[in-house]
Amino acid sequence: MKFTFRTRDNISPIGLQNIYISHCPDDAAERDRLISTLLENELAPFFACWYDGDQTTYTDAALSWRIGQMDLMVLLVTNRMLNHPSRSLAFELEKAREHRIPILTVLTSGCDIGEFRHRFAQQPFIAQDDPAFAEQLDRQLCLKLGSAELHRTAAKGIFCGHIYICSAPEDREIIPRLAARLRSMELLYDFALIHDDLFGVYEPDADEQQALIQKSSIVLIVATSHLGQRENRLINQITESGKHVIAVTPEDDRHLRTASLNKLLTDCISISNQQLLMEKIGVVVGHLLSGRNTLEHQHRLAQSYLYGINTLASTNLALDFLKSAAQSGYLPSQILLVDILRGELGFKPKYDEAATAQMRIIEKHTQTFNASPTPENAIILAEAINLLGSIYLAADQQDKAENAYKNCITLCERRKRGAPPPELLRQYAIACEERGRLREAKFDIKTAEEHYRLALENFEKLQQSGTDLEVQHHIGQLYLALGNISMSRGRLEDADEFYRRCYEQRETTADLWNTVHFRRELAEVLERLGQLYERCGDTERSEECTRSEIEIFRSLSEENGSVQGRRDLARAISTMCRQLLAANRLSEAQEQVSETIALRERLLAETESDEVARELIADYDLLGDICAQRENITAACDARVKGVQVRKRIAEKAPDDNRAQEAVAEACLRIAMLNPESPLGREMVEAAVSVFDRLYSRTRQKQYRDRIAEARLILKPRRIVTEKVSLLSRRGR
């Protein structure tokens, strides 16, 4: 099959937008299911889905060129991809960003969200397990490809016309170069380019070419002998259509035109002669450009260039038209410009510019609201102010963000008397929740709690009117936040109530329980409940919560084997080990820490992460302490020696890090203290002295010289005892 496509009703892909499905070789079934979902969307008549049918190996240049022709890349993420990432996927992502192609990341059912976030921290995604997946997919396709209404309007002719570039198959490589020159002509900003060069894998039939010619205002022929020898049918169609015809020839063309071409063309223009080409086209199209400079027309052109609708995508042209219309006060352009500037459509965020543009929108909405203070206008204004707050948050400007949320709260409080509309309550609750988080980050716990309670009250009102999953998620987060505050302020009964509500709310929502993300959040609640019961002295219930947490993480780890899942499992088992130690159940604690060590040893071998290494060191030290308490000095020494070995690996990566070197020496001394008279004890003392000596030579700090003396004291008691025994024996004789 090689590089192939699918469209709704198997229509021709010519003139449609192009979506590239990037996936792993073993995920063909998941790819086909996703394509079927995409082709059910209302935008499906306007795009074609392209993919590698048999995962053919292309050259980097060929793959880069094909990606550059796309309007959207869909990255299909499965657990197989996360566990065995291929070089081609990384290359495709890099090229998509290089060509500024929007990326839509879709996580398949059962995919480990935690592992994906660990690998691709900055990459937004939508998950098929999310009950709102269909709505999210619709929204993302509209954001990245344009709405169905926009496409339908474009089909009716928002442009002055179309320019159809036709050529023989042998001359298709000329088209991208010619299209680039045409796009640079300001005269053609209002014209759409269409052509039949679809990656060398699709040839239009006679009826399709006839339709393209009839649709176009101008036909641009790449005139070479290839066309004259093989395309007499096409030339006849153009002749009979009565369309304006302009012929161009490549700079290195040495072919003679055939008789059929001579009938049609009086002269050819070289592609390199841009001035002459522009003059020729100007004669044909100049009169079509009058009366086409309204703000609405500029906005539609910007959308078409942004999404590549009926034309080659051009971000620069799109931004030019958008900024022009936005500065003139055209609201749809202002809104779309903000989405671009805050990185919503895959562009690099420019938060300062986004905030400035959003302020203009708020000013316009404020004027509308002051003139007509209806609930609908209040909702629009509140939503705009909340968006400004989120932009400031993303830019890490917390004071400005808090001020925006305060303004939204003030607006909503004035309008929510009586029976306010649900959407106004939603905006009010969101603003209260976000301001509460900002106050909590500044340790203003009292104000934070007040705002959390206001947010919870209004989200619960919304929940009574329907089963909005987003609202349920907000409620769960607020229960958790209020529980944390109650526990920090010593109100343990309140904390217990909030944590239990959060747990019940997440557990009873079956559709949320089936997703990795919300199962991990459920485990988080169990962890907090365990901490609460431990603080109350109820060790039995604390252990019960920790065991349930371990059960969740163990099931997640067995399902997908992700790095994050196994790290979570190891962390939960470590908590259980600490609880067993507090109860003096040393044998059970030793079993638990041994399992944690086995998990983290495998993780360290796979990831070589310093963070995992430090966690493993803590486990070895804990095992050493447990063995020492059980008076198994040999096992205690063995565990701590392994900890020293891991510390040395960390120190070798950073030879200039004094703290890492010092940690090795201190760990050696702790081993020596277990059995100073053994050969291992003496070996560890000498190793510690050697490290401290190097550190003193490097830094000349007195503390290292003192540590050398203290280390040698570990062996002194043995020598003193030996000398006294020798003296007594001589006296006895």
Side-chain angles (χ1 to χ4, degrees):
M1 292 171 64
K2 296 187 178 180
F3 200 63
T4 188
F5 70 92
R6 279 178 58 189
T7 57
R8 181 186 282 186
D9 301 327
N10 296 318
I11 62 174
S12 164
I14 291 181
L16 303 182
Q17 291 183 290
N18 299 306
I19 299 177
Y20 176 47
I21 313 294
S22 177
H23 63 94
C24 279
D26 297 331
D27 293 331
E30 288 84 351
R31 175 204 68 206
D32 291 341
R33 281 195 291 271
L34 176 62
I35 291 176
S36 298
T37 302
L38 289 170
L39 294 182
E40 292 172 0
N41 190 276
E42 68 169 345
L43 280 170
F46 307 109
F47 62 72
C49 294
W50 294 84
Y51 58 93
D52 293 339
D54 56 3
Q55 292 295 310
T56 304
T57 302
Y58 302 101
T59 65
D60 286 354
L63 185 58
S64 174
W65 181 80
R66 284 182 172 174
I67 291 173
Q69 310 310 305
M70 295 294 164
D71 300 289
L72 173 65
M73 172 187 279
V74 175
L75 175 61
L76 184 64
V77 181
T78 63
N79 285 325
R80 279 186 291 268
M81 190 275 274
L82 292 175
N83 293 328
H84 306 285
S86 64
R87 187 202 70 85
S88 63
L89 283 173
F91 177 82
E92 289 168 3
L93 279 172
E94 177 188 349
K95 291 303 173 184
R97 294 188 179 104
E98 182 180 308
H99 291 295
R100 304 193 73 172
I101 306 301
I103 300 171
L104 171 59
T105 303
V106 176
L107 273 58
T108 56
S109 297
C111 187
D112 189 338
I113 294 177
E115 179 65 14
F116 175 80
R117 285 175 169 164
H118 177 70
R119 294 276 185 87
F120 305 95
Q122 303 301 320
Q123 184 68 31
F125 65 89
I126 58 175
Q128 290 180 340
D129 280 335
D130 193 322
F133 173 72
E135 292 81 359
Q136 292 175 351
L137 182 63
D138 288 345
R139 181 174 182 273
Q140 290 298 320
L141 289 176
C142 285
L143 281 173
K144 293 174 167 55
L145 296 177
S147 66
E149 181 60 32
L150 174 62
H151 283 270
R152 285 190 285 269
T153 306
K156 295 176 184 176
I158 66 167
F159 293 94
C160 295
H162 293 81
I163 299 176
Y164 174 41
I165 305 175
C166 66
S167 67
E170 294 88 345
D171 300 321
R172 295 278 159 82
E173 71 277 0
I174 298 171
I175 288 180
R177 189 154 44 98
L178 176 59
R181 290 190 179 277
L182 293 173
R183 284 274 63 88
S184 68
M185 296 182 183
E186 191 172 341
L187 185 68
L188 297 182
Y189 282 1
D190 286 6
F191 282 78
L193 294 179
I194 53 176
H195 55 80
D196 49 21
D197 175 38
L198 283 173
F199 320 120
V201 298
Y202 185 83
E203 293 291 336
D205 59 26
D207 291 339
E208 288 172 339
Q209 284 192 323
Q210 179 68 26
L212 290 170
I213 292 169
Q214 292 299 329
K215 181 179 182 179
S216 304
S217 303
I218 303 170
V219 178
L220 201 64
I221 295 181
V222 179
T224 68
S225 57
H226 296 137
L227 187 69
Q229 292 167 0
R230 297 182 53 185
E231 304 292 335
N232 287 325
R233 171 187 53 78
L234 175 62
I235 294 171
N236 290 336
Q237 288 177 340
I238 295 172
T239 304
E240 294 168 2
S241 71
K243 299 290 182 177
H244 295 288
V245 179
I246 299 174
V248 297
T249 184
E251 298 91 327
D252 56 353
D253 182 64
R254 296 291 183 270
H255 302 291
L256 296 174
R257 294 203 304 279
T258 61
S260 58
L261 275 175
N262 285 329
K263 289 179 183 178
L264 182 64
L265 309 171
T266 56
D267 62 322
C268 275
I269 302 170
S270 171
I271 292 177
S272 60
N273 193 340
Q274 184 143 337
Q275 181 63 33
L276 183 58
L277 181 61
M278 188 166 66
E279 290 176 0
K280 182 78 173 179
I281 294 176
V283 171
V284 178
V285 306
H287 67 282
L288 296 174
L289 296 176
S290 58
R292 294 278 183 155
N293 198 32
T294 65
L295 294 178
E296 181 183 2
H297 185 243
Q298 288 183 24
H299 178 71
R300 292 184 183 278
L301 283 175
Q303 289 179 300
S304 297
Y305 283 118
L306 181 65
Y307 301 121
I309 300 173
N310 282 338
T311 183
L312 295 176
S314 171
T315 304
N316 292 334
L317 287 176
L319 287 175
D320 287 345
F321 281 117
L322 270 182
K323 288 179 179 178
S324 175
Q327 288 171 358
S328 298
Y330 191 61
L331 186 59
S333 293
Q334 292 175 332
I335 294 172
L336 183 56
L337 183 61
V338 169
D339 284 340
I340 292 174
L341 293 174
R342 67 190 181 97
E344 183 71 21
L345 301 180
F347 296 95
K348 184 178 179 181
K350 298 179 179 178
Y351 293 119
D352 289 342
E353 293 183 34
T356 302
Q358 185 65 15
M359 285 295 295
R360 294 196 195 101
I361 294 174
I362 291 173
E363 289 172 6
K364 196 172 187 70
H365 286 325
T366 302
Q367 292 172 1
T368 304
F369 175 73
N370 290 336
S372 176
T374 63
E376 292 75 15
N377 288 337
I379 291 169
I380 293 171
L381 179 57
E383 188 175 4
I385 296 172
N386 274 341
L387 180 57
L388 178 63
S390 69
I391 292 171
Y392 282 136
L393 270 184
D396 199 24
Q397 299 180 29
Q398 296 187 0
D399 290 340
K400 291 184 177 180
E402 184 175 358
N403 189 53
Y405 291 126
K406 282 174 63 178
N407 291 338
C408 182
I409 291 169
T410 302
L411 170 69
C412 293
E413 285 178 342
R414 290 174 180 171
R415 302 298 305 176
K416 70 191 243 359
R417 299 184 184 90
E423 190 56 38
L424 189 64
L425 288 180
R426 183 192 298 268
Q427 297 304 324
Y428 178 60
I430 289 172
C432 288
E433 181 181 3
E434 293 300 334
R435 190 174 180 224
R437 296 193 192 287
L438 289 166
R439 286 286 88 200
E440 186 178 10
K442 294 181 178 180
F443 304 104
D444 183 359
I445 305 301
K446 182 180 178 181
T447 307
E449 184 175 8
E450 290 173 358
H451 282 79
Y452 283 149
R453 289 182 181 274
L454 282 172
L456 180 60
E457 177 188 342
N458 286 278
F459 276 129
E460 286 177 337
K461 289 179 181 177
L462 287 171
Q463 189 181 32
Q464 293 170 4
S465 61
T467 55
D468 189 323
L469 291 175
E470 182 187 355
V471 169
Q472 292 184 26
H473 179 64
H474 279 291
I475 290 173
Q477 292 294 93
L478 286 165
Y479 282 148
L480 193 63
L482 286 167
N484 293 340
I485 287 178
S486 297
M487 189 159 72
S488 69
R489 304 187 78 176
R491 303 200 310 266
L492 302 186
E493 291 184 1
D494 289 348
D496 185 25
E497 181 183 356
F498 284 124
Y499 286 148
R500 283 190 165 280
R501 285 185 185 179
C502 182
Y503 179 81
E504 291 167 2
Q505 189 256 355
R506 287 178 176 169
E507 186 185 40
T508 54
T509 309
D511 45 7
L512 298 183
W513 167 255
N514 289 329
T515 67
V516 174
H517 176 66
F518 288 106
R519 286 161 73 183
R520 183 172 282 115
E521 286 198 342
L522 188 63
E524 180 187 7
V525 180
L526 286 168
E527 180 183 7
R528 300 296 172 83
L529 275 170
Q531 293 170 356
L532 174 64
Y533 294 142
E534 184 177 3
R535 186 168 171 181
C536 294
D538 191 343
T539 55
E540 184 177 344
R541 294 171 77 184
S542 178
E543 284 184 26
E544 182 184 343
C545 290
T546 306
R547 292 187 192 281
S548 298
E549 182 188 358
I550 290 172
E551 186 180 332
I552 292 174
F553 285 133
R554 198 183 298 281
S555 66
L556 290 174
S557 179
E558 289 171 355
E559 286 174 15
N560 51 45
S562 70
V563 170
Q564 187 60 45
R566 285 177 289 163
R567 287 190 66 182
D568 289 336
L569 175 60
R571 179 177 52 78
I573 296 173
S574 293
T575 302
M576 172 60 71
C577 181
R578 182 175 51 78
Q579 291 170 344
L580 293 171
L581 275 176
N584 203 30
R585 290 150 63 183
L586 300 182
S587 177
E588 295 177 61
Q590 186 170 345
E591 290 178 8
Q592 297 289 336
V593 77
S594 297
E595 182 181 358
T596 310
I597 286 172
L599 275 170
R600 285 179 172 146
E601 283 178 341
R602 289 195 295 271
L603 285 170
L604 184 61
E606 292 176 21
T607 65
E608 297 186 356
S609 163
D610 285 351
E611 189 175 354
V612 174
R614 292 187 183 95
E615 292 169 351
L616 182 58
I617 288 168
D619 289 337
Y620 282 134
D621 289 347
L622 183 58
L623 180 60
D625 291 341
I626 294 171
C627 291
Q629 289 184 54
R630 302 186 72 188
E631 298 182 355
N632 188 346
I633 301 303
T634 302
C637 289
D638 289 343
R640 289 189 172 177
V641 166
K642 290 179 180 178
V644 168
Q645 292 170 352
V646 179
R647 284 183 173 93
K648 284 181 177 178
R649 288 177 57 178
I650 295 176
E652 287 169 359
K653 293 181 182 178
D656 296 329
D657 186 349
N658 292 347
R659 289 188 177 181
Q661 306 293 331
E662 190 176 339
V664 173
E666 296 292 352
C668 290
L669 289 182
R670 283 194 292 273
I671 296 172
M673 292 293 291
L674 287 173
N675 192 356
E677 298 184 7
S678 67
L680 177 62
R682 290 194 296 274
E683 180 186 342
M684 290 293 103
V685 169
E686 293 304 326
V689 168
S690 175
V691 173
F692 284 132
D693 188 52
R694 286 199 303 272
L695 290 171
Y696 178 69
S697 300
R698 181 192 301 170
T699 65
R700 292 296 173 184
Q701 292 183 14
K702 182 177 178 294
Q703 63 181 11
Y704 295 126
R705 188 176 62 186
D706 293 342
R707 291 302 286 148
I708 292 171
E710 291 166 3
R712 287 177 173 155
L713 278 175
I714 295 174
L715 301 179
K716 271 191 176 183
R718 179 176 177 276
R719 290 202 298 272
I720 292 170
V721 170
T722 304
E723 290 172 2
K724 287 184 177 180
V725 170
S726 177
L727 178 60
L728 287 173
S729 64
R730 286 200 300 273
R731 286 179 180 175
R733 288 197 297 270

